[in-house]
Amino acid sequence: MSDRRKFSKDLGILFSEKTLSIALGLCTTFIAYRLLSPEGYGVIGVLEATFSLSTSIVAFRTTESLTRCLIEFRKKELAVSSLIKVSLTIDLATQCVSVVLVAVAAYAASGYFTRLGVTPDLIFMAGIGSLLAFPQNTYMSLIREKRAFHYLAMASLTSKVALLIGLVILYAFGIASIWVYLAIMIVSQLCHFGFIVHYIRQYQSTPHSIYNVLADGLRAFTNPFRFWKDETYID
């Protein structure tokens, strides 16, 4: 395949993924709003905005630099595991500091957060979800470096579909719990990581079961420095 055709194909995949993501996002937002009520959905919005702001304050934005370094390492046939470990360490430290900042802000402005309905247990649950996302930038850089945009799109859409299905089930049974909503978001994140890990470890193009996807997603979070078996990642 020529470079022009490959570029057009990659562009088409990214455009399709973006379009579908917007459609799934609108469906998810509508169901979550109806399920949690305006007050409950407002609590989710406050949590997401708070953690997003704290992460942006301390972020080192290593993703672009990592992708360029990976390409250079590949050209020189150098192992990249040390580079990946440094990136994962920076991402983990960034997310930990971000969670601490949110905890400090919530303690300092406890009265304000309480009036908004943002309780300490919800902040704790959202903090777990935030920490769970720390390997994401590094993993996605590995896939971008290999130009496997179709798999990147599959992983992203899978997580969004998992979240949408979970919300539909909650809506069908009338379970209007913010805790359960946050738990479903964590499960969707595990699905996202699971698909990425399946690609990096080169198991197969499509995982055979949802159990394997969730197990690999959990493994990617609990032991992100040692999960791969590709020889090119070994020093």
Side-chain angles (χ1 to χ4, degrees):
M1 183 182 296
S2 65
D3 290 340
R4 180 176 296 180
R5 289 186 61 187
K6 184 171 180 57
F7 175 77
S8 300
K9 181 180 178 181
D10 291 342
L11 190 63
I13 291 172
L14 293 175
F15 177 78
S16 300
E17 186 270 332
K18 188 67 175 179
T19 303
L20 291 173
S21 292
I22 292 173
L24 290 172
L26 290 174
C27 294
T28 300
T29 300
F30 175 77
I31 296 175
Y33 186 84
R34 293 291 301 273
L35 178 68
L36 300 176
S37 76
E39 293 78 12
Y41 191 74
V43 171
I44 296 297
V46 170
L47 288 171
E48 291 179 346
T50 303
F51 278 95
S52 176
L53 177 61
S54 64
T55 300
S56 65
I57 291 174
V58 299
F60 287 93
R61 302 194 180 279
T62 58
T63 306
E64 294 81 6
S65 299
L66 176 61
T67 303
R68 289 194 296 267
C69 289
L70 284 171
I71 294 173
E72 291 300 320
F73 272 50
R74 298 294 191 195
K75 289 180 179 179
K76 298 177 181 179
E77 298 183 352
L78 298 174
V80 299
S81 63
S82 297
L83 183 64
I84 294 171
K85 291 171 187 175
V86 170
S87 178
L88 284 170
T89 302
I90 293 174
D91 288 341
L92 176 59
T94 298
Q95 289 301 121
C96 287
V97 173
S98 172
V99 171
V100 170
L101 284 178
V102 172
V104 171
Y107 177 79
S110 58
Y112 177 73
F113 276 87
T114 301
R115 287 196 299 272
L116 292 176
V118 182
T119 56
D121 59 322
L122 294 178
I123 295 174
F124 174 78
M125 190 70 171
I128 293 176
S130 180
L131 285 175
L132 185 64
F134 89 87
Q136 180 171 325
N137 288 338
T138 298
Y139 294 162
M140 293 176 71
S141 292
L142 287 170
I143 294 183
R144 288 193 187 98
E145 180 258 334
K146 293 186 177 182
R147 298 181 63 82
F149 295 108
H150 64 289
Y151 214 89
L152 200 63
M154 184 187 300
S156 176
L157 291 175
T158 298
S159 67
K160 290 178 173 60
V161 169
L163 177 59
L164 180 59
I165 292 174
L167 289 180
V168 169
I169 293 174
L170 291 184
Y171 187 80
F173 287 93
I175 304 174
S177 170
I178 299 177
W179 257 83
V180 178
Y181 176 86
L182 292 174
I184 290 177
M185 290 186 66
I186 291 176
V187 171
S188 71
Q189 189 69 58
L190 288 177
C191 289
H192 188 235
F193 286 161
F195 266 82
I196 292 176
V197 170
H198 268 276
Y199 175 78
I200 295 175
R201 295 176 66 177
Q202 298 179 347
Y203 274 2
Q204 58 268 340
S205 59
T206 304
H208 291 311
S209 70
I210 190 64
Y211 172 80
N212 288 336
V213 172
L214 293 176
D216 266 352
L218 185 61
R219 185 180 298 112
F221 170 62
T222 57
N223 192 14
F225 300 93
R226 294 291 182 185
F227 77 87
W228 49 74
K229 293 183 179 179
D230 188 338
E231 293 181 355
T232 56
Y233 299 141
I234 301 176
D235 285 332

